[in-house]
Amino acid sequence: MEGIAPAAPARLAVLLRHLCPDGAAAAARSLTAFPTSAQVVSAKHPAQFRYTLDNNLLTPAQRNFYEENGYLLIKNLVSDEDIARFRDEFARICRGEVKVPGMVVMRDITIAKSEFVSDEKAVTKLQDFQDDEELFRYCSLPQVLKYVECFTGPNILAMHTMLINKPPDSGKKTSRHPMHQDLHYFPFRPAERIVCAWTAMERVDRSNGCLVVMPGTHKGSLKQHDYPDWEGGVNKMYHGVRDYDKNAPRVHLVMEKGDTVFFHPLLIHGSGMNRTEGFRKAISCHYASGDCNYIDVKGTTQEKLEEEMIEIARTKYGLNSSISMKDVWYFRSRLVKGDRGNL
């Protein structure tokens, strides 16, 4: 048996002479016999991705960016025509021409006290528009869903829908949104299979209160949230992270109409005041994989939030029976693609 091993390189050298006659001699000289199959190679293995899935849409650079930063901005994703239709539907809802069961129409804490503000200027946010077929089209736009699938996989549910109409600030800074993590509001996991799509309905920048993100914070844990102690007051459910490094780098996401940012639910983010005279509009949806699971939030940082959400739901729907945070989110969600699974 000892005489067999040296013959292998020789046979390979013969084969190389047939395949590449000019380089056969050099190739034969470079051959090395290894005693085992555990050959050391210099080629690097592909990076292990935790937050994105491999479906051949995102480039390696885009996947690496999201892995490191927790967000990804895609330019010009939603058409002007679609945005115009969403704006028209928003206006009809504000005028009372369209009634949507279960949808929450919100007003800024300062605007709500004014009797002189009406129609669109009185509404700062539509929440839970999943049963409005026109607005729900946003959640099922093919060009949006193909990116969503890079984070959730093929079974996709719309869990939380919003159209935001950030008002000009009254001078009390109530148009701000405190720095927070969206996972604070969600009783389902894992976080890696949840993503938000947030689309600018017009140019957004620092003057009208664009999103501000803290890159890389999605790699941390869910932090304690409370209402911030703001002199001008805080809007309902506008919770903020209690402790975070206020000196950590921030990025202000300047976006044009139709640009869409996708971000992780643990990414710490918020938005500043609207210093202009116009209303800054954006539309968004949080998506989750049907393979996610509901969790019990009792004994966690979310327990106090659950109590607040249940109280709001009871007031809104006149419920007297025992309900949980899971029940609230089950009825707020809607299947977009594939199977509902555990959600």
Side-chain angles (χ1 to χ4, degrees), residues 33-61:
F34 287 86
T36 71
S37 61
Q39 181 176 350
V40 178
V41 294
S42 60
K44 294 183 179 179
H45 291 286
Q48 294 298 311
F49 295 105
R50 175 181 176 183
Y51 303 104
T52 57
L53 301 173
D54 185 10
N55 61 2
N56 298 319
L57 176 64
L58 299 181
T59 66

PDB file of all heavy atoms in Angstrom, residues 33-61:
ATOM      1  N   ALA A  33       1.185  16.283  -1.718  1.00  0.00           N
ATOM      2  CA  ALA A  33       0.350  15.229  -1.137  1.00  0.00           C
ATOM      3  C   ALA A  33       0.096  15.542   0.324  1.00  0.00           C
ATOM      4  O   ALA A  33       1.024  15.869   1.059  1.00  0.00           O
ATOM      5  CB  ALA A  33       1.051  13.876  -1.271  1.00  0.00           C
ATOM      6  N   PHE A  34      -1.183  15.459   0.753  1.00  0.00           N
ATOM      7  CA  PHE A  34      -1.555  15.693   2.149  1.00  0.00           C
ATOM      8  C   PHE A  34      -1.982  14.382   2.776  1.00  0.00           C
ATOM      9  O   PHE A  34      -2.693  13.581   2.161  1.00  0.00           O
ATOM     10  CB  PHE A  34      -2.699  16.715   2.238  1.00  0.00           C
ATOM     11  CG  PHE A  34      -2.256  18.121   1.944  1.00  0.00           C
ATOM     12  CD1 PHE A  34      -2.207  18.585   0.637  1.00  0.00           C
ATOM     13  CD2 PHE A  34      -1.864  18.972   2.973  1.00  0.00           C
ATOM     14  CE1 PHE A  34      -1.786  19.874   0.373  1.00  0.00           C
ATOM     15  CE2 PHE A  34      -1.435  20.267   2.697  1.00  0.00           C
ATOM     16  CZ  PHE A  34      -1.401  20.727   1.394  1.00  0.00           C
ATOM     17  N   PRO A  35      -1.561  14.128   3.982  1.00  0.00           N
ATOM     18  CA  PRO A  35      -1.863  12.853   4.636  1.00  0.00           C
ATOM     19  C   PRO A  35      -3.340  12.706   5.001  1.00  0.00           C
ATOM     20  O   PRO A  35      -3.811  11.596   5.193  1.00  0.00           O
ATOM     21  CB  PRO A  35      -0.994  12.889   5.900  1.00  0.00           C
ATOM     22  CG  PRO A  35      -0.777  14.349   6.174  1.00  0.00           C
ATOM     23  CD  PRO A  35      -0.722  14.988   4.825  1.00  0.00           C
ATOM     24  N   THR A  36      -4.104  13.824   5.140  1.00  0.00           N
ATOM     25  CA  THR A  36      -5.521  13.736   5.477  1.00  0.00           C
ATOM     26  C   THR A  36      -6.287  14.686   4.562  1.00  0.00           C
ATOM     27  O   THR A  36      -5.701  15.434   3.788  1.00  0.00           O
ATOM     28  CB  THR A  36      -5.784  14.153   6.939  1.00  0.00           C
ATOM     29  OG1 THR A  36      -5.599  15.564   7.058  1.00  0.00           O
ATOM     30  CG2 THR A  36      -4.851  13.431   7.894  1.00  0.00           C
ATOM     31  N   SER A  37      -7.627  14.658   4.695  1.00  0.00           N
ATOM     32  CA  SER A  37      -8.466  15.540   3.886  1.00  0.00           C
ATOM     33  C   SER A  37      -8.597  16.924   4.502  1.00  0.00           C
ATOM     34  O   SER A  37      -9.238  17.795   3.940  1.00  0.00           O
ATOM     35  CB  SER A  37      -9.853  14.920   3.715  1.00  0.00           C
ATOM     36  OG  SER A  37     -10.468  14.748   4.989  1.00  0.00           O
ATOM     37  N   ALA A  38      -8.030  17.154   5.663  1.00  0.00           N
ATOM     38  CA  ALA A  38      -8.160  18.435   6.365  1.00  0.00           C
ATOM     39  C   ALA A  38      -7.149  19.436   5.841  1.00  0.00           C
ATOM     40  O   ALA A  38      -6.296  19.916   6.558  1.00  0.00           O
ATOM     41  CB  ALA A  38      -7.994  18.237   7.869  1.00  0.00           C
ATOM     42  N   GLN A  39      -7.247  19.735   4.551  1.00  0.00           N
ATOM     43  CA  GLN A  39      -6.313  20.674   3.930  1.00  0.00           C
ATOM     44  C   GLN A  39      -6.654  22.098   4.345  1.00  0.00           C
ATOM     45  O   GLN A  39      -7.801  22.495   4.362  1.00  0.00           O
ATOM     46  CB  GLN A  39      -6.380  20.535   2.416  1.00  0.00           C
ATOM     47  CG  GLN A  39      -5.417  21.465   1.692  1.00  0.00           C
ATOM     48  CD  GLN A  39      -5.429  21.238   0.193  1.00  0.00           C
ATOM     49  OE1 GLN A  39      -6.017  20.275  -0.265  1.00  0.00           O
ATOM     50  NE2 GLN A  39      -4.799  22.123  -0.548  1.00  0.00           N
ATOM     51  N   VAL A  40      -5.646  22.882   4.680  1.00  0.00           N
ATOM     52  CA  VAL A  40      -5.838  24.283   5.031  1.00  0.00           C
ATOM     53  C   VAL A  40      -5.925  25.093   3.763  1.00  0.00           C
ATOM     54  O   VAL A  40      -5.065  24.987   2.888  1.00  0.00           O
ATOM     55  CB  VAL A  40      -4.681  24.791   5.913  1.00  0.00           C
ATOM     56  CG1 VAL A  40      -4.871  26.274   6.226  1.00  0.00           C
ATOM     57  CG2 VAL A  40      -4.589  23.962   7.187  1.00  0.00           C
ATOM     58  N   VAL A  41      -6.982  25.909   3.635  1.00  0.00           N
ATOM     59  CA  VAL A  41      -7.157  26.718   2.442  1.00  0.00           C
ATOM     60  C   VAL A  41      -7.125  28.184   2.812  1.00  0.00           C
ATOM     61  O   VAL A  41      -7.490  28.573   3.921  1.00  0.00           O
ATOM     62  CB  VAL A  41      -8.485  26.374   1.727  1.00  0.00           C
ATOM     63  CG1 VAL A  41      -8.456  24.969   1.196  1.00  0.00           C
ATOM     64  CG2 VAL A  41      -9.671  26.586   2.649  1.00  0.00           C
ATOM     65  N   SER A  42      -6.715  29.006   1.874  1.00  0.00           N
ATOM     66  CA  SER A  42      -6.615  30.434   2.141  1.00  0.00           C
ATOM     67  C   SER A  42      -7.908  31.176   1.830  1.00  0.00           C
ATOM     68  O   SER A  42      -8.096  32.308   2.234  1.00  0.00           O
ATOM     69  CB  SER A  42      -5.479  31.043   1.307  1.00  0.00           C
ATOM     70  OG  SER A  42      -5.732  30.841  -0.071  1.00  0.00           O
ATOM     71  N   ALA A  43      -8.816  30.534   1.057  1.00  0.00           N
ATOM     72  CA  ALA A  43     -10.065  31.204   0.692  1.00  0.00           C
ATOM     73  C   ALA A  43     -10.924  31.434   1.933  1.00  0.00           C
ATOM     74  O   ALA A  43     -11.018  30.576   2.804  1.00  0.00           O
ATOM     75  CB  ALA A  43     -10.835  30.357  -0.319  1.00  0.00           C
ATOM     76  N   LYS A  44     -11.583  32.621   2.006  1.00  0.00           N
ATOM     77  CA  LYS A  44     -12.435  32.954   3.145  1.00  0.00           C
ATOM     78  C   LYS A  44     -13.854  32.456   2.922  1.00  0.00           C
ATOM     79  O   LYS A  44     -14.394  32.540   1.825  1.00  0.00           O
ATOM     80  CB  LYS A  44     -12.457  34.473   3.357  1.00  0.00           C
ATOM     81  CG  LYS A  44     -11.116  35.054   3.781  1.00  0.00           C
ATOM     82  CD  LYS A  44     -11.251  36.548   4.034  1.00  0.00           C
ATOM     83  CE  LYS A  44      -9.911  37.127   4.484  1.00  0.00           C
ATOM     84  NZ  LYS A  44     -10.014  38.594   4.722  1.00  0.00           N
ATOM     85  N   HIS A  45     -14.461  31.930   3.979  1.00  0.00           N
ATOM     86  CA  HIS A  45     -15.846  31.504   3.899  1.00  0.00           C
ATOM     87  C   HIS A  45     -16.755  32.732   3.913  1.00  0.00           C
ATOM     88  O   HIS A  45     -16.399  33.775   4.468  1.00  0.00           O
ATOM     89  CB  HIS A  45     -16.192  30.592   5.085  1.00  0.00           C
ATOM     90  CG  HIS A  45     -15.495  29.268   5.017  1.00  0.00           C
ATOM     91  ND1 HIS A  45     -15.882  28.289   4.140  1.00  0.00           N
ATOM     92  CD2 HIS A  45     -14.448  28.768   5.716  1.00  0.00           C
ATOM     93  CE1 HIS A  45     -15.091  27.222   4.296  1.00  0.00           C
ATOM     94  NE2 HIS A  45     -14.219  27.491   5.245  1.00  0.00           N
ATOM     95  N   PRO A  46     -17.951  32.632   3.316  1.00  0.00           N
ATOM     96  CA  PRO A  46     -18.885  33.768   3.352  1.00  0.00           C
ATOM     97  C   PRO A  46     -19.219  34.164   4.775  1.00  0.00           C
ATOM     98  O   PRO A  46     -19.262  33.331   5.673  1.00  0.00           O
ATOM     99  CB  PRO A  46     -20.126  33.208   2.625  1.00  0.00           C
ATOM    100  CG  PRO A  46     -19.621  32.072   1.805  1.00  0.00           C
ATOM    101  CD  PRO A  46     -18.480  31.495   2.579  1.00  0.00           C
ATOM    102  N   ALA A  47     -19.478  35.458   4.991  1.00  0.00           N
ATOM    103  CA  ALA A  47     -19.815  35.946   6.324  1.00  0.00           C
ATOM    104  C   ALA A  47     -21.136  35.330   6.781  1.00  0.00           C
ATOM    105  O   ALA A  47     -22.019  35.045   5.976  1.00  0.00           O
ATOM    106  CB  ALA A  47     -19.930  37.467   6.292  1.00  0.00           C
ATOM    107  N   GLN A  48     -21.269  35.125   8.077  1.00  0.00           N
ATOM    108  CA  GLN A  48     -22.501  34.614   8.646  1.00  0.00           C
ATOM    109  C   GLN A  48     -23.439  35.778   8.913  1.00  0.00           C
ATOM    110  O   GLN A  48     -23.116  36.679   9.685  1.00  0.00           O
ATOM    111  CB  GLN A  48     -22.187  33.852   9.940  1.00  0.00           C
ATOM    112  CG  GLN A  48     -21.363  32.589   9.730  1.00  0.00           C
ATOM    113  CD  GLN A  48     -22.078  31.567   8.866  1.00  0.00           C
ATOM    114  OE1 GLN A  48     -23.241  31.253   9.106  1.00  0.00           O
ATOM    115  NE2 GLN A  48     -21.377  31.051   7.870  1.00  0.00           N
ATOM    116  N   PHE A  49     -24.584  35.776   8.271  1.00  0.00           N
ATOM    117  CA  PHE A  49     -25.546  36.853   8.416  1.00  0.00           C
ATOM    118  C   PHE A  49     -26.609  36.472   9.440  1.00  0.00           C
ATOM    119  O   PHE A  49     -27.239  35.429   9.325  1.00  0.00           O
ATOM    120  CB  PHE A  49     -26.205  37.182   7.077  1.00  0.00           C
ATOM    121  CG  PHE A  49     -25.243  37.733   6.057  1.00  0.00           C
ATOM    122  CD1 PHE A  49     -24.805  36.950   4.998  1.00  0.00           C
ATOM    123  CD2 PHE A  49     -24.783  39.028   6.161  1.00  0.00           C
ATOM    124  CE1 PHE A  49     -23.924  37.452   4.063  1.00  0.00           C
ATOM    125  CE2 PHE A  49     -23.905  39.547   5.230  1.00  0.00           C
ATOM    126  CZ  PHE A  49     -23.463  38.761   4.179  1.00  0.00           C
ATOM    127  N   ARG A  50     -26.845  37.347  10.385  1.00  0.00           N
ATOM    128  CA  ARG A  50     -27.824  37.105  11.441  1.00  0.00           C
ATOM    129  C   ARG A  50     -29.152  37.791  11.164  1.00  0.00           C
ATOM    130  O   ARG A  50     -30.211  37.259  11.486  1.00  0.00           O
ATOM    131  CB  ARG A  50     -27.263  37.596  12.779  1.00  0.00           C
ATOM    132  CG  ARG A  50     -28.252  37.504  13.935  1.00  0.00           C
ATOM    133  CD  ARG A  50     -27.645  38.023  15.220  1.00  0.00           C
ATOM    134  NE  ARG A  50     -28.624  38.026  16.304  1.00  0.00           N
ATOM    135  CZ  ARG A  50     -28.381  38.481  17.530  1.00  0.00           C
ATOM    136  NH1 ARG A  50     -27.183  38.956  17.829  1.00  0.00           N
ATOM    137  NH2 ARG A  50     -29.332  38.454  18.453  1.00  0.00           N
ATOM    138  N   TYR A  51     -29.113  38.965  10.569  1.00  0.00           N
ATOM    139  CA  TYR A  51     -30.299  39.807  10.469  1.00  0.00           C
ATOM    140  C   TYR A  51     -30.944  39.811   9.088  1.00  0.00           C
ATOM    141  O   TYR A  51     -32.005  40.403   8.913  1.00  0.00           O
ATOM    142  CB  TYR A  51     -29.950  41.248  10.866  1.00  0.00           C
ATOM    143  CG  TYR A  51     -29.360  41.360  12.253  1.00  0.00           C
ATOM    144  CD1 TYR A  51     -27.996  41.560  12.451  1.00  0.00           C
ATOM    145  CD2 TYR A  51     -30.172  41.252  13.382  1.00  0.00           C
ATOM    146  CE1 TYR A  51     -27.460  41.662  13.729  1.00  0.00           C
ATOM    147  CE2 TYR A  51     -29.648  41.356  14.657  1.00  0.00           C
ATOM    148  CZ  TYR A  51     -28.288  41.560  14.820  1.00  0.00           C
ATOM    149  OH  TYR A  51     -27.757  41.657  16.085  1.00  0.00           O
ATOM    150  N   THR A  52     -30.321  39.202   8.101  1.00  0.00           N
ATOM    151  CA  THR A  52     -30.879  39.155   6.750  1.00  0.00           C
ATOM    152  C   THR A  52     -30.877  37.725   6.247  1.00  0.00           C
ATOM    153  O   THR A  52     -30.099  36.885   6.707  1.00  0.00           O
ATOM    154  CB  THR A  52     -30.072  40.038   5.780  1.00  0.00           C
ATOM    155  OG1 THR A  52     -28.694  39.603   5.784  1.00  0.00           O
ATOM    156  CG2 THR A  52     -30.136  41.499   6.186  1.00  0.00           C
ATOM    157  N   LEU A  53     -31.745  37.463   5.279  1.00  0.00           N
ATOM    158  CA  LEU A  53     -31.861  36.134   4.694  1.00  0.00           C
ATOM    159  C   LEU A  53     -31.346  36.159   3.261  1.00  0.00           C
ATOM    160  O   LEU A  53     -31.381  37.198   2.591  1.00  0.00           O
ATOM    161  CB  LEU A  53     -33.328  35.678   4.719  1.00  0.00           C
ATOM    162  CG  LEU A  53     -33.972  35.616   6.105  1.00  0.00           C
ATOM    163  CD1 LEU A  53     -35.471  35.324   5.990  1.00  0.00           C
ATOM    164  CD2 LEU A  53     -33.297  34.568   6.978  1.00  0.00           C
ATOM    165  N   ASP A  54     -30.898  35.032   2.780  1.00  0.00           N
ATOM    166  CA  ASP A  54     -30.297  34.935   1.459  1.00  0.00           C
ATOM    167  C   ASP A  54     -31.365  34.613   0.418  1.00  0.00           C
ATOM    168  O   ASP A  54     -31.779  33.474   0.265  1.00  0.00           O
ATOM    169  CB  ASP A  54     -29.219  33.851   1.452  1.00  0.00           C
ATOM    170  CG  ASP A  54     -28.466  33.793   0.131  1.00  0.00           C
ATOM    171  OD1 ASP A  54     -28.666  34.717  -0.681  1.00  0.00           O
ATOM    172  OD2 ASP A  54     -27.704  32.844  -0.083  1.00  0.00           O
ATOM    173  N   ASN A  55     -31.846  35.653  -0.290  1.00  0.00           N
ATOM    174  CA  ASN A  55     -32.800  35.407  -1.378  1.00  0.00           C
ATOM    175  C   ASN A  55     -32.363  36.108  -2.663  1.00  0.00           C
ATOM    176  O   ASN A  55     -33.168  36.364  -3.550  1.00  0.00           O
ATOM    177  CB  ASN A  55     -34.215  35.831  -0.978  1.00  0.00           C
ATOM    178  CG  ASN A  55     -34.312  37.314  -0.662  1.00  0.00           C
ATOM    179  OD1 ASN A  55     -33.326  38.047  -0.768  1.00  0.00           O
ATOM    180  ND2 ASN A  55     -35.494  37.766  -0.291  1.00  0.00           N
ATOM    181  N   ASN A  56     -31.094  36.459  -2.746  1.00  0.00           N
ATOM    182  CA  ASN A  56     -30.486  36.994  -3.972  1.00  0.00           C
ATOM    183  C   ASN A  56     -30.981  38.377  -4.381  1.00  0.00           C
ATOM    184  O   ASN A  56     -30.757  38.794  -5.519  1.00  0.00           O
ATOM    185  CB  ASN A  56     -30.687  36.015  -5.138  1.00  0.00           C
ATOM    186  CG  ASN A  56     -30.023  34.683  -4.907  1.00  0.00           C
ATOM    187  OD1 ASN A  56     -28.911  34.617  -4.396  1.00  0.00           O
ATOM    188  ND2 ASN A  56     -30.713  33.601  -5.259  1.00  0.00           N
ATOM    189  N   LEU A  57     -31.629  39.110  -3.479  1.00  0.00           N
ATOM    190  CA  LEU A  57     -32.030  40.485  -3.794  1.00  0.00           C
ATOM    191  C   LEU A  57     -31.004  41.483  -3.275  1.00  0.00           C
ATOM    192  O   LEU A  57     -30.492  42.313  -4.023  1.00  0.00           O
ATOM    193  CB  LEU A  57     -33.411  40.795  -3.215  1.00  0.00           C
ATOM    194  CG  LEU A  57     -33.873  42.251  -3.407  1.00  0.00           C
ATOM    195  CD1 LEU A  57     -34.029  42.566  -4.901  1.00  0.00           C
ATOM    196  CD2 LEU A  57     -35.183  42.510  -2.674  1.00  0.00           C
ATOM    197  N   LEU A  58     -30.705  41.404  -1.988  1.00  0.00           N
ATOM    198  CA  LEU A  58     -29.731  42.321  -1.410  1.00  0.00           C
ATOM    199  C   LEU A  58     -28.322  41.949  -1.849  1.00  0.00           C
ATOM    200  O   LEU A  58     -27.957  40.769  -1.904  1.00  0.00           O
ATOM    201  CB  LEU A  58     -29.806  42.281   0.121  1.00  0.00           C
ATOM    202  CG  LEU A  58     -31.136  42.687   0.768  1.00  0.00           C
ATOM    203  CD1 LEU A  58     -31.008  42.620   2.283  1.00  0.00           C
ATOM    204  CD2 LEU A  58     -31.549  44.086   0.333  1.00  0.00           C
ATOM    205  N   THR A  59     -27.526  42.964  -2.149  1.00  0.00           N
ATOM    206  CA  THR A  59     -26.134  42.723  -2.476  1.00  0.00           C
ATOM    207  C   THR A  59     -25.367  42.410  -1.189  1.00  0.00           C
ATOM    208  O   THR A  59     -25.834  42.735  -0.089  1.00  0.00           O
ATOM    209  CB  THR A  59     -25.512  43.955  -3.138  1.00  0.00           C
ATOM    210  OG1 THR A  59     -25.474  45.025  -2.172  1.00  0.00           O
ATOM    211  CG2 THR A  59     -26.320  44.391  -4.359  1.00  0.00           C
ATOM    212  N   PRO A  60     -24.205  41.792  -1.286  1.00  0.00           N
ATOM    213  CA  PRO A  60     -23.397  41.570  -0.079  1.00  0.00           C
ATOM    214  C   PRO A  60     -23.125  42.863   0.681  1.00  0.00           C
ATOM    215  O   PRO A  60     -23.140  42.881   1.916  1.00  0.00           O
ATOM    216  CB  PRO A  60     -22.108  40.958  -0.629  1.00  0.00           C
ATOM    217  CG  PRO A  60     -22.534  40.257  -1.879  1.00  0.00           C
ATOM    218  CD  PRO A  60     -23.607  41.136  -2.468  1.00  0.00           C
ATOM    219  N   ALA A  61     -22.919  43.962  -0.049  1.00  0.00           N
ATOM    220  CA  ALA A  61     -22.662  45.243   0.616  1.00  0.00           C
ATOM    221  C   ALA A  61     -23.889  45.710   1.385  1.00  0.00           C
ATOM    222  O   ALA A  61     -23.777  46.231   2.500  1.00  0.00           O
ATOM    223  CB  ALA A  61     -22.258  46.295  -0.421  1.00  0.00           C
TER     224      ALA A  61
END
